Amino acid sequence: MQFYVTTPIFYVNGSPHIGHAYTAIAADVIARFHRLDGRDVHFLSGTDEHGQKVEKAARDVGLEPQAFTDRVSAEFRTMLARLEVSNDDFIRTTEPRHKQGATALWTQLAANGDIYLGHYEGWYAVRDEDFYAEADLTTHPDGTRTAPTGAPVEWVREPNYLFRLSAFQDRLLAHYETCPDFVGPAGKRNEMISFIRGGLHDLSVSRSSFRWGIPVPGDSDHVMYVWLDALANYVTALGYPDRTGPLWRFWPADLHLVGKDIQRFHAVYWPAFLMAAGLPVPRRIFAHGWWTIEGAKMSKSVGNVVDPLALVDTYGLDPVRYFLLREVPFGGDGDFSARALVGRMNVDLANDLGNLAQRSLSLIAKNLSGLLPEPGPPSEEDRALLGMAAALPARLREHVGRQALGDALEETWRVIRAANAYIDHQAPWALRRTDPARMAAVLRVLADTIRVVATVLQPFMPGSMARMLDQLGVPEGERDLSALDRPLAAATALPPPQGVFPRWVEEAA
Ligand code: MSP
């Protein structure tokens, strides 16, 4: 069964930061989990390169927009690679395949009578690439006005093409009614419904006061509004308008993962564009929260922008991936601090999981010549722990299926904590003299439990979990969820155990 998941395409007006890394890592975990579960996955990311904001950023550094976007888009590609994000494709909105597809989408909307030439007069925030009503603005003592997001607005008056969004109000509401899972988390669904019920105005979908965009078919005085251009990426990357190509089988998308700031574009405008074009709408749009840094909003002027690659250089990739998804429930806001990251590294990773594996594997190395023992006759406690471990894949499928990535980790840690209690209680080191057969049975229970844990954690921490599975002697082709039904071969020679998660010790100042 197919599974198509997307990240938002990133604006190339500045370098990647932790917020971008977060969206990408979360989508990666979801893509990897579905692959592990045997699904035919297509995972798309890319860059959003047109519009006034990008044009201005290029001008500010004295570059032509294309040269500038080439450079910044490459930085995003590098970020994804360094974060081990496993996207299958990367689309740039300046690529011919995208321009052709977006042009075809426009032509289709116009042919159906849903785009007409009009006039726009109102407030526009370049930073958000969004239109605002007067009533939503804050007026400052110096007379300037800002949007609710804090972005400065400017008065725009120009001839524009408009999309007949108002005509889709009822169809959108009906869709929300029949597909209760269309938008998540649940609170966001209600927010979107109230926005639609509040009345939809036709949407300006072209701009005529600057040039950096895809020309409107048949009227090159206009370029397409950057959000129509950008949203189209999810279908142009599949080959739209050609619906007979090999990738079209992935449409409609199973999941558009987005930040809460851009939910409305995805959950209102995008389905309306698709309905107008006669295309099926995505199955689900899930919005995650925002990170602040040590309590403050991240901003270039404050100088607290966190570079994800610098973090990875310092702490290692998997601790960063783990921290971001574990620290806050997915869908909520979070606060980033190095202290909290180090806490998670030392407690969850080094103590709980790292020690569990290290203790179990070194006992096998020392007392059983490094050979994986046979399962013994199970005790009540063995059954309880193995039962918890066996239930994990199904529990995680459920959590990941509703994007509850923090819950998936918490559920896994429940098993890890139970395994630590089990090892303390069974004390296999003491059984070595008194009951070696029982010691072997206990170590096998532990090896089997760690195997399940390491298997289900691969999407979150691919590198470290690969190393843990290597140490358990799990063959490379036997690491997906279905392989868990097949027991490991007894007497497999395990490599010498090595710590996977070192403790982080602050250097003395
Ligand atoms: N180009 C648009 C998306 C178009 S999709 C058709 C865009 N780009 S963005 O680069 O500004 O944002 C990309 C993603 O990063 C969004 O999901 C956004 O929510 C996320 N984040 C940006 N800053 C963030 C934080 N401080 N915290 C968490 N995520 C944040 O929007």
Side-chain angles (χ1 to χ4, degrees), residues 8-9 11 17 19-20 23 48 227 234 259 261 288 290-291 298:
I9 49 172
Y11 282 131
H17 60 60
H20 306 125
T23 301
D48 186 353
W227 269 102
Y234 301 129
D261 53 319
H288 63 68
W290 265 49
W291 286 90
M298 194 166 31

